[in-house]
Amino acid sequence: QVQLVESGGGLVQPGDSLRLSCTASGGTFSRYTMGWFRQAPGKERQYVSVIRMGDNKIYYADSVKGRFTLSRDNAKNTLYLQMNGLRPEDTAVYYCAATARGLIASTIRLMGEYDIWGQGTQVTVSS
């Protein structure tokens, strides 16, 4: 069973950048669809960005498109989320997630399709 550990969160000012990392262990990394979800205080967890196994197609939520960049390094078993132009509304706990299921465009953004989760890393954007 794959285990996920996130890192890279912190406190930054609006407009700053952060890079989150999610390192996987215990499985064949390339065989998993992986992504980032986030949960702000008092709100439901929401999809941010995912990368599908096999074709490596990447999906972004509209709220982060053009600012965030998702990538994976299969040799390092690591998923990255480069976050530029951070805004106060990006403040949340960011969770890395993975699934070995084959997902299609209509389901890949759904939190319930992911059965492996990291512990989360806090990102706070504030002046």
Side-chain angles (χ1 to χ4, degrees):
Q1 177 78 337
V2 168
Q3 294 183 319
L4 306 175
V5 177
E6 302 100 329
S7 61
L11 171 63
V12 297
Q13 295 186 340
D16 284 353
S17 298
L18 274 178
R19 188 177 78 159
L20 304 184
S21 299
C22 172
T23 301
S25 61
T28 304
F29 183 75
S30 61
R31 294 182 181 176
Y32 290 82
T33 289
M34 301 192 65
W36 291 93
F37 293 74
R38 67 187 181 185
Q39 187 166 17
K43 295 188 177 181
E44 292 187 352
R45 196 170 298 187
Q46 62 178 198
Y47 137 86
V48 175
S49 181
V50 298
I51 182 168
R52 187 163 60 192
M53 64 175 173
D55 63 4
N56 287 323
K57 183 174 175 62
I58 297 175
Y59 299 79
Y60 294 99
D62 288 344
S63 59
V64 306
K65 203 171 292 184
R67 300 187 298 124
F68 290 12
T69 302
L70 185 68
S71 62
R72 68 190 297 168
D73 186 334
N74 289 338
K76 295 183 178 180
N77 287 355
T78 302
L79 181 74
Y80 301 101
L81 183 68
Q82 177 66 42
M83 305 187 295
N84 298 329
L86 282 162
R87 304 168 180 168
E89 54 264 39
D90 295 318
T91 295
V93 178
Y94 283 70
Y95 295 92
C96 180
T99 181
R101 298 191 185 100
L103 300 178
I104 58 177
S106 62
T107 59
I108 202 168
R109 300 170 180 83
L110 301 178
M111 184 177 66
E113 295 294 334
Y114 295 80
D115 44 19
I116 305 167
W117 292 85
Q119 81 288 352
T121 185
Q122 176 71 46
V123 172
T124 303
V125 185
S126 175
S127 55

